[in-house]
Amino acid sequence: EPEVTQTPSHQVTQMGQEVILRCVPISNHLYFYWYRQILGQKVEFLVSFYNNEISEKSEIFDDQFSVERPDGSNFTLKIRSTKLEDSAMYFCAKTGSSYNEQFFGPGTRLTVL
Amino acid sequence: AQTVTQSQPEMSVQEAETVTLSCTYDTSESDYYLFWYKQPPSRQMILVIRQEAYKQQNATENRFSVNFQKAAKSFSLKISDSQLGDAAMYFCAYLVPGSARQLTFGSGTQLTVLP
């Protein structure tokens, strides 16, 4: 399967700042997902994105979060005003040749100070 | 709501031996998929194996195989001939086909491989 890449690998930010996490480069995929993993905890679903629209979002995905596919390839997750509890690994995932399996990017480790 | 339970927070196995990781799930769906993901210290999530609920045959990928018991809602992972590189956190996950296809994960089992 083609790789899913994410940038940056590690982001350190101050509480209240905006961060943008990116999946790059991706083309010809319809389904994307963002997941979050707080250190030592399980992976949690944030949002699914199908054909340039949000398909479903979890209760975690509140108004502080947004997703975009600004240029048809990059897929971004924006956190508008970061909180300490947003510190986590954020994973982008895509479907494979079967829409019922998902392949994860290497993740972005977000640290909020 | 679907839940996935991994009751073994930690397991260890001797190199070259076999180990089985347990997973149970709760669902009212009849069509679904089950997965095992491996997360090494790099924290990358790596898909290890997949099982479709409609298939009676247990999935196998090289040294990895599953024991899928649909009636019992059990989905265990067997690793044969364990290698040092198998040391990782293993997550069981569940997915219902549909528009969202979100994965629901268990809490994970940390596997240590002893030389």
Side-chain angles (χ1 to χ4, degrees), chain A residues 33 77-79 88 102:
Chain A
Y33 306 81
L77 174 70
K78 181 190 294 185
I79 308 174
Q102 294 177 22

Side-chain angles (χ1 to χ4, degrees), chain A:
Chain A
E1 295 286 346
E3 285 189 357
V4 177
T5 59
Q6 293 184 240
T7 60
S9 57
H10 188 194
Q11 174 89 45
V12 181
T13 189
Q14 295 290 325
M15 188 170 58
Q17 295 297 304
E18 175 183 284
V19 295
I20 297 176
L21 312 181
R22 292 183 172 84
C23 267
V24 290
I26 294 177
S27 61
N28 299 322
H29 294 295
L30 293 177
Y31 288 98
F32 304 93
Y33 306 81
W34 283 100
Y35 292 86
R36 180 182 80 176
Q37 184 186 30
I38 296 172
L39 183 64
Q41 299 186 21
K42 64 182 176 182
V43 179
E44 300 174 292
F45 169 75
L46 288 176
V47 64
S48 58
F49 196 75
Y50 168 68
N51 203 22
N52 297 325
E53 291 185 356
I54 290 177
S55 176
E56 186 160 330
K57 55 186 180 180
S58 72
E59 58 191 21
I60 303 171
F61 194 87
D62 61 21
D63 292 343
Q64 294 297 317
F65 292 90
S66 62
V67 290
E68 286 184 342
R69 198 177 184 192
D71 57 8
S73 59
N74 292 357
F75 178 48
T76 64
L77 174 70
K78 181 190 294 185
I79 308 174
R80 292 189 180 82
S81 179
T82 51
K83 307 169 192 170
L84 294 177
E85 54 265 37
D86 293 328
S87 295
M89 283 290 286
Y90 289 82
F91 293 101
C92 171
K94 70 166 185 71
T95 51
S97 53
S98 161
Y99 287 133
N100 297 311
E101 60 186 10
Q102 294 177 22
F103 296 92
F104 283 68
T108 293
R109 180 180 161 197
L110 176 65
T111 302
V112 182
L113 302 176

Side-chain angles (χ1 to χ4, degrees), chain B residues 36-108:
Chain B
W36 280 96
Y37 282 85
K38 171 184 177 181
Q39 187 178 44
S42 66
R43 301 193 71 182
Q44 168 94 45
M45 294 290 289
I46 302 166
L47 178 60
V48 174
I49 199 165
R50 176 184 97 164
Q51 175 77 44
E52 295 90 334
Y54 63 85
K55 289 187 177 180
Q56 292 185 339
Q57 187 173 8
N58 289 323
T60 300
E61 288 287 342
N62 301 313
R63 297 182 295 107
F64 298 86
S65 61
V66 299
N67 183 4
F68 174 48
Q69 301 290 327
K70 190 171 183 179
K73 296 180 181 175
S74 170
F75 181 62
S76 60
L77 175 70
K78 185 172 81 171
I79 307 174
S80 304
D81 186 24
S82 298
Q83 300 175 359
L84 294 178
D86 295 334
M89 180 73 86
Y90 286 82
F91 290 97
C92 178
Y94 163 97
L95 177 148
V96 173
S99 61
R101 295 187 178 86
Q102 65 193 70
L103 284 164
T104 300
F105 285 88
S107 55

